[in-house]
């Protein structure tokens, strides 16, 4: 028995769903949503709102799944980090597989609502592949969504690359060690510590285009020379975390400004 799995990119809310994504929502029998603990209830609520707004027929089920603990990534070296993330993915896949077997005994369609776009720094596709390794017969379909990178460019009214120049996407964990102006314009994601502060002295000509909670009512954007605005960004980021309990941000670094 083959189960259909739909991984649906939702951007950051109802305004970002494509027509294809809305059609996919209406095919789903069971939505699996990760419960990441206290302070993230609004992420679950937003997904529930999307379902209620766009699904035309009742009968779907919305199952919250407690996310396995992941541990202190910041304290791990690169090798240990990769091992622990792989272990976390396998534990998450095992939990999802168990629920799918219980909820869809006669077959059907499972849906995952992915913040942003499933292709960009998201683990859902990998987790579904690991679910298949538990013995489930799965057929995967992926629906793209609007990513935070696209929103960042739109909010700052910029093009991510300069004419004929490259774009480099990386994470905060890798930024300082690998940064060079030769990379071109650099988009940084998953940076909980604003690693770009480590470039202020060595690369004084950098400009930053930063955005947090993009697409949500409390979104914040700042741009300017990195050395001049980094403290403003740090303060704003902390204020959002204090208020929300979580923060999602990304930024572009542009050399030669």
């Amino acid at each position: 028995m083959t189960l259909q799995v739909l991984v649906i990119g939702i951007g950051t809310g109802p305004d970002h769903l494509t027509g294809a994504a809305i059609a996919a929502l209406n095919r789903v029998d069971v939505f699996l949503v990760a419960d990441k603990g206290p302070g993230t209830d609004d992420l679950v609520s937003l997904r529930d709102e999307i379902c209620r707004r766009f699904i035309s027929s009742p009968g779907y089920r919305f199952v919250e799944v407690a996310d396995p603990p992941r541990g202190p990534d910041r304290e791990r070296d690169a090798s240990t980090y990769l091992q622990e993330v792989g272990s976390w993915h396998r534990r998450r896949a095992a939990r999802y597989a168990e629920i799918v077997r219980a909820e869809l005994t006669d077959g059907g369609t499972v849906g995952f609502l992915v913040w942003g776009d499933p292709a960009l720094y998201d683990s859902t596709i990998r987790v579904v592949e690991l679910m298949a390794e538990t013995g489930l017969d799965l057929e995967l379909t992926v629906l793209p969504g609007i990513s935070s990178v696209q929103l960042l460019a739109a909010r700052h009214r910029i093009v991510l690359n300069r004419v004929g120049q490259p774009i480099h996407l990386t994470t905060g964990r890798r930024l300082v060690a690998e940064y060079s102006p030769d990379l071109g314009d650099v988009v940084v994601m998953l940076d909980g510590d604003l690693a770009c502060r480590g470039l202020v002295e060595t690369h004084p000509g950098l400009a930053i285009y930063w955005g947090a909670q993009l697409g949500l009512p409390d979104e914040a954007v700042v741009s300017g020379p990195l050395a001049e605005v980094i403290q403003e960004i740090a303060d704003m980021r902390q204020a959002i975390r204090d208020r929300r309990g979580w923060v999602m941000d990304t930024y572009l670094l542009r050399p030669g400004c």
Side-chain angles (χ1 to χ4, degrees):
M1 178 179 60
T2 300
L3 296 173
Q4 302 296 314
V5 179
L6 304 182
V7 174
I8 306 169
I10 60 172
T12 59
D15 292 339
H16 295 165
L17 267 73
T18 65
I22 292 171
L25 290 177
N26 282 275
R27 294 170 50 195
V28 173
D29 298 302
V30 175
F31 290 95
L32 300 184
V33 180
D35 177 0
K36 299 187 177 183
T40 61
D41 292 348
D42 47 354
L43 294 175
V44 176
S45 298
L46 180 60
R47 287 167 167 83
D48 183 49
E49 177 189 347
I50 286 171
C51 290
R52 287 187 284 104
R53 180 182 298 193
F54 291 112
I55 294 177
S56 57
S57 300
Y60 68 89
R61 301 187 293 285
F62 200 77
V63 181
E64 295 182 35
V65 185
D67 221 20
R70 179 159 163 176
D73 287 340
R74 296 177 186 176
E75 301 172 10
R76 293 169 172 151
D77 60 26
S79 176
T80 304
Y81 171 75
L82 290 175
Q83 292 174 6
E84 291 301 323
V85 170
S87 174
W88 176 62
H89 286 166
R90 288 189 293 275
R91 285 180 282 129
R92 181 186 261 191
R95 290 189 181 186
Y96 287 164
E98 181 181 357
I99 290 172
V100 166
R101 287 188 172 93
E103 292 284 339
L104 293 171
T105 55
D106 298 321
T109 300
V110 181
F112 293 91
L113 303 179
V114 175
W115 194 266
D117 182 85
L120 194 58
Y121 287 109
D122 182 80
S123 63
T124 306
I125 294 173
R126 294 187 185 96
V127 170
V128 172
E129 292 170 346
L130 290 169
M131 289 170 63
E133 292 182 9
T134 71
L136 290 173
D137 184 6
L138 305 177
E139 182 174 328
L140 172 63
T141 301
V142 179
L143 290 302
I146 295 175
S147 71
S148 61
V149 176
Q150 293 168 281
L151 283 170
L152 181 74
R155 293 298 186 263
H156 286 287
R157 301 181 296 278
I158 59 173
V159 179
L160 289 174
N161 65 292
R162 288 172 292 179
V163 177
Q165 298 300 307
I167 306 171
H168 183 74
L169 273 74
T170 189
T171 65
R173 172 181 285 271
R174 301 177 61 93
L175 175 64
V176 173
E178 70 184 13
Y179 181 77
S180 165
D182 294 338
L183 293 173
D185 293 288
V186 176
V187 175
V188 184
M189 306 183 73
L190 303 178
D191 185 2
D193 295 317
L194 288 176
C196 56
R197 282 184 283 205
L199 301 175
V200 169
E201 293 186 7
T202 55
H203 297 84
L206 280 173
I208 186 170
Y209 298 83
W210 173 84
Q213 316 303 82
L214 292 164
L216 298 175
D218 60 340
E219 74 173 20
V221 294
V222 175
S223 64
L226 178 62
E228 296 179 15
V229 301
I230 185 59
Q231 189 57 52
E232 178 186 359
I233 290 171
D235 292 343
M236 194 172 294
R237 192 180 194 283
Q238 187 59 51
I240 293 170
R241 181 178 290 281
D242 291 343
R243 182 174 65 252
R244 278 269 198 172
W246 58 274
V247 58
M248 290 186 180
D249 62 338
T250 187
Y251 56 87
L252 171 75
L253 294 176
R254 177 159 285 171
C257 297

